[in-house]
Amino acid sequence: MADTLTEVESQLSQFRNETSRQAWLATHIRERCLENNKSSPPTAPRLLRDDSDSGAHPKILEIEAFLVAQRFHLLPEPERSALALFYLDLFSAEEIAELLKMDIEALSDTLGAARDLLRKSLREMRNSSPQPS
């Protein structure tokens, strides 16, 4: 992440006021992430804690988060980016559509498709895992 931000900072002089600074920054970070994701799938998180009193074991949460991240990584583009930008909750739907160079109806269809693909992938994962006896 630090390398990505350093690279984007070095390109800051290229920013023009045609779009918001936040949208410009998100576009450059997204492009770098897409480039990095081509060669390296997500790795298991180093630390994932559950600070609630739910009684869930942290190791289980770590494994589940890792598996969700793997399935998310396998989503095709632009579905993966649309879903990530939407759930980051930093941009309006119109801004996300602009970032992804699509109209608002296409974004709506893309988000629906992304959710369906992720849901299906997670369901398949759950159905193929050994069930406790």
Side-chain angles (χ1 to χ4, degrees), residues 4 28 40 68 122 130 132:
T4 298
H28 285 280
S40 56
V68 170
L122 293 171

mmCIF file of all heavy atoms in Angstrom, residues 4 28 40 68 122 130 132:
data_model
loop_
_atom_site.group_PDB
_atom_site.id
_atom_site.type_symbol
_atom_site.label_atom_id
_atom_site.label_comp_id
_atom_site.label_asym_id
_atom_site.label_seq_id
_atom_site.Cartn_x
_atom_site.Cartn_y
_atom_site.Cartn_z
ATOM 1 N N THR A 4 2.151 1.918 -3.421
ATOM 2 C CA THR A 4 1.086 2.442 -4.272
ATOM 3 C C THR A 4 0.869 3.925 -4.009
ATOM 4 O O THR A 4 0.796 4.727 -4.944
ATOM 5 C CB THR A 4 -0.224 1.664 -4.035
ATOM 6 O OG1 THR A 4 -0.003 0.305 -4.384
ATOM 7 C CG2 THR A 4 -1.360 2.229 -4.863
ATOM 8 N N HIS A 28 -6.260 5.877 -9.866
ATOM 9 C CA HIS A 28 -4.855 5.462 -9.911
ATOM 10 C C HIS A 28 -4.564 4.305 -8.958
ATOM 11 O O HIS A 28 -3.815 3.387 -9.305
ATOM 12 C CB HIS A 28 -3.936 6.653 -9.631
ATOM 13 C CG HIS A 28 -3.846 7.580 -10.794
ATOM 14 N ND1 HIS A 28 -3.048 7.328 -11.881
ATOM 15 C CD2 HIS A 28 -4.497 8.726 -11.071
ATOM 16 C CE1 HIS A 28 -3.186 8.302 -12.770
ATOM 17 N NE2 HIS A 28 -4.070 9.161 -12.299
ATOM 18 N N SER A 40 -0.414 -11.768 -8.206
ATOM 19 C CA SER A 40 -0.376 -12.288 -6.836
ATOM 20 C C SER A 40 -1.761 -12.330 -6.207
ATOM 21 O O SER A 40 -2.335 -11.301 -5.913
ATOM 22 C CB SER A 40 0.560 -11.440 -5.981
ATOM 23 O OG SER A 40 0.176 -10.087 -6.029
ATOM 24 N N VAL A 68 -13.101 -15.680 1.833
ATOM 25 C CA VAL A 68 -13.920 -14.661 1.180
ATOM 26 C C VAL A 68 -13.039 -13.785 0.293
ATOM 27 O O VAL A 68 -13.391 -13.465 -0.844
ATOM 28 C CB VAL A 68 -14.703 -13.817 2.207
ATOM 29 C CG1 VAL A 68 -15.359 -12.614 1.544
ATOM 30 C CG2 VAL A 68 -15.747 -14.674 2.900
ATOM 31 N N LEU A 122 -19.363 -18.430 -2.943
ATOM 32 C CA LEU A 122 -19.323 -18.756 -1.517
ATOM 33 C C LEU A 122 -20.222 -19.945 -1.192
ATOM 34 O O LEU A 122 -19.872 -20.778 -0.359
ATOM 35 C CB LEU A 122 -19.712 -17.534 -0.680
ATOM 36 C CG LEU A 122 -18.722 -16.372 -0.729
ATOM 37 C CD1 LEU A 122 -19.306 -15.137 -0.060
ATOM 38 C CD2 LEU A 122 -17.385 -16.759 -0.115
ATOM 39 N N PRO A 130 -16.069 -30.072 3.928
ATOM 40 C CA PRO A 130 -16.570 -31.156 4.774
ATOM 41 C C PRO A 130 -17.496 -30.627 5.862
ATOM 42 O O PRO A 130 -17.220 -29.592 6.462
ATOM 43 C CB PRO A 130 -15.304 -31.765 5.397
ATOM 44 C CG PRO A 130 -14.151 -31.103 4.746
ATOM 45 C CD PRO A 130 -14.643 -29.923 3.980
ATOM 46 N N PRO A 132 -19.327 -30.827 9.520
ATOM 47 C CA PRO A 132 -19.045 -31.426 10.831
ATOM 48 C C PRO A 132 -20.035 -32.546 11.146
ATOM 49 O O PRO A 132 -21.193 -32.477 10.765
ATOM 50 C CB PRO A 132 -19.199 -30.269 11.813
ATOM 51 C CG PRO A 132 -19.926 -29.188 11.090
ATOM 52 C CD PRO A 132 -19.777 -29.443 9.620
#
